[in-house]
Amino acid sequence: MNAHSPLRTALAGLLAAGLLLAAGLAMPRWLAFLVTMAAAQGLVSLGIVLLMRCGVVSFGQGLVFAAGGYTAALAFGRLGISDALLLALLGGAVAAAIAAPFAWLIARYRGIFFAMLSLALSMVLYGLLLKSQSFGGSDGFNMGRPTLFGLPAGDSGYAGYAVTVVLSAAVGIAMRIYFDSARGLVALAARDNEIRVEYLGSSVQALIASHFIVAAFIGGMGGALAVMALGHVEPEFSYWTRSGDFVFVAILAGHHSVLAAFVASAALEMVRSFSSAWFPNSWQLALGMFLLAVIRFLPGGIGSLWLARRQRGAHA
């Protein structure tokens, strides 16, 4: 069986999800919350990794993160939809619907132009949310605790943790299978030589546009899951600094590995949590040093560790 076969990938993902679900039963509440937020935000960064494989980087994923979060909170408060799975999927669907009209246009650009256009879209949403009192204005608004299959989720937070782990595992498995598929490998070819891919009959613009919409969907899911864990949503979700966090994680992860996106997101949450507690006035410096160390010693990102290992195993 090939190490990259869909069956092997699915089994590995299910095993990892099972271990995390079991570990969650014994985790202290603060750690379960940290893992939940890391997984939810890791989904957003995974969307950037998907785009990076085409050679572009979005600096505006705060747009879809906020869209998914506000959708979940509004659906809960105004439509009476309380199921966590449904709210997460609804958040992803609305974020994808918002991104779709801009996908073909933004896919025409590369480099700094793609990054700045995506950032501009996110900041437009930030301005709208900030000025709109019907969406809570600058303070945002709170969200109650969702249910799971019609049953109360309880106060432990485990249900939200479990939903986040399961959805993250499902998306991770799907992304890994896609990365190893023919179309997923065409994205890497477009990253290296776009003109040659066009000559071979593939539309790079269509590829980037589809990746942009998929990244929006999983980013919206991440936003909905984060808001359900936090119990609050606010315009800062779409601010440029939030988008910068997601890019930070994607750079740490690299474009080689799906797992690395979640590992990098967890590392960011750990460094930010502990450094802000120990160095409240200089925690950004700790984050910067952490990023510089990864760039210096792992220029291909954390995922390059797994890539090198796979390559050694292939040549053995």
Side-chain angles (χ1 to χ4, degrees):
M1 183 184 296
N2 190 303
H4 299 283
S5 70
L7 179 59
R8 180 73 60 87
T9 298
L11 290 175
L14 291 174
L15 176 61
L19 291 174
L20 284 173
L21 290 174
L25 295 171
M27 281 183 187
R29 188 166 182 174
W30 68 267
L31 182 56
F33 174 78
L34 189 148
V35 174
T36 301
M37 291 300 297
Q41 295 180 102
L43 285 172
V44 190
S45 296
L46 183 58
I48 299 178
V49 171
L50 178 66
L51 291 168
M52 285 170 61
R53 292 175 68 88
C54 294
V56 294
V57 177
S58 170
F59 276 69
Q61 290 306 96
L63 167 73
V64 296
F65 186 69
Y70 271 88
T71 296
L74 290 171
F76 181 92
R78 300 185 183 180
L79 300 180
I81 300 173
S82 61
D83 185 78
L85 282 171
L86 182 57
L87 288 172
L89 294 174
L90 186 61
V94 170
I98 292 173
F102 305 102
W104 194 259
L105 170 65
I106 201 170
R108 297 172 58 188
Y109 298 91
R110 303 291 183 270
I112 192 65
F113 303 104
F114 184 98
M116 290 298 101
L117 277 173
S118 61
L119 177 60
L121 291 174
S122 180
M123 292 306 294
V124 167
L125 178 62
Y126 172 75
L128 292 174
L129 293 174
L130 196 66
K131 300 297 183 182
S132 176
Q133 293 304 314
S134 61
F135 290 155
S138 60
D139 295 327
F141 57 93
N142 293 330
M143 174 185 177
R145 191 172 295 277
T147 61
L148 185 60
F149 303 122
L151 301 174
D155 296 328
S156 66
Y158 180 77
Y161 168 89
V163 169
T164 305
V165 167
V166 169
L167 286 178
S168 298
V171 171
I173 291 169
M175 285 293 102
R176 183 68 265 171
I177 292 173
Y178 174 74
F179 286 176
D180 294 332
S181 69
R183 184 174 175 83
L185 294 174
V186 166
L188 282 183
R191 174 191 176 95
D192 294 333
N193 194 322
E194 184 175 326
I195 295 177
R196 183 171 294 180
V197 170
E198 292 280 358
Y199 275 130
L200 291 174
S202 295
S203 170
V204 176
Q205 185 176 353
L207 184 67
I208 293 176
S210 63
H211 280 201
F212 187 73
I213 296 172
V214 173
F217 177 78
I218 61 178
M221 277 188 17
L225 291 167
V227 167
M228 285 187 277
L230 289 168
H232 183 78
V233 65
E234 59 187 23
E236 294 297 320
F237 276 41
S238 63
Y239 196 54
W240 69 267
T241 54
R242 177 73 68 164
S243 296
D245 286 344
F246 299 135
V247 174
F248 184 101
V249 170
I251 293 172
L252 285 181
H255 67 276
H256 302 290
S257 170
V258 170
L259 177 61
F262 295 104
V263 172
S265 183
L268 174 63
E269 286 299 310
M270 293 286 286
V271 171
R272 179 159 49 193
S273 297
F274 288 106
S275 62
S276 61
W278 295 337
F279 315 108
N281 297 320
S282 58
W283 65 269
Q284 295 94 336
L285 177 62
L287 282 178
M289 292 176 64
F290 180 63
L291 178 60
L292 287 174
V294 172
I295 292 174
R296 171 62 181 84
F297 298 105
L298 291 172
I302 295 173
S304 63
L305 293 172
W306 288 279
L307 179 66
R309 186 175 180 180
R310 286 199 301 264
Q311 288 175 340
R312 286 195 299 267
H315 294 301

